[in-house]
Amino acid sequence: PADRIAAARAAGAEVLVAGDGAGVEPERAVRALAERGLTRLLTEGGPRLLGQLVAAQVLDELCLTVSPLLTAGGAQRIAGGPGPALPERFELASLLEEDGFLFTRYRRTRHSAE
């Protein structure tokens, strides 16, 4: 809402609009931040946010922790929502282990034409 944007700006925050309505378009948000020199972004969220980043093809790296605990339930995938037309390949960049936990970091595979 306009009043909340005005209040944030009055408090000294720079407000970027990166979508129409209440939603954010990930590619617009990434572009707007890059225009300000902010090219290294860390995002944390749930399956919906991750799914939006995947669908917009703006995810370059994924940090994923694998726990040595086993459970069951109705959990969905780590990324929810529509995906890209073709799956994107990521490569393992690092792997650490502590007390049976695996801390992984994957990077998007770059094609030789890029």
Side-chain angles (χ1 to χ4, degrees):
D3 61 326
R4 293 185 67 189
I5 291 174
R9 287 184 172 146
E14 181 178 3
V15 178
L16 304 177
V17 177
D20 298 321
V24 172
E25 296 173 28
E27 60 279 354
R28 281 178 63 182
V30 169
R31 186 173 49 250
L33 293 168
E35 289 169 356
R36 287 157 178 78
L38 304 169
T39 58
R40 295 181 58 96
L41 310 176
L42 171 65
T43 59
E44 295 187 18
R48 184 170 177 229
L49 175 61
L50 184 56
Q52 291 172 334
L53 297 171
V54 169
Q57 297 181 317
V58 296
L59 186 71
D60 291 325
E61 197 169 277
L62 174 67
C63 295
L64 182 65
T65 301
V66 179
S67 167
L69 304 173
L70 183 62
T71 187
Q76 56 182 321
R77 296 173 185 246
I78 65 168
L86 296 173
E88 291 203 45
R89 181 85 175 143
F90 279 65
E91 62 188 4
L92 184 64
S94 65
L95 175 65
L96 300 172
E97 182 274 337
E98 184 172 320
D99 294 329
F101 288 83
L102 298 178
F103 302 93
T104 66
R105 185 168 58 97
Y106 292 90
R107 286 191 196 129
R108 182 190 320 197
T109 302
R110 297 291 180 190
H111 301 289
S112 59
E114 292 181 18

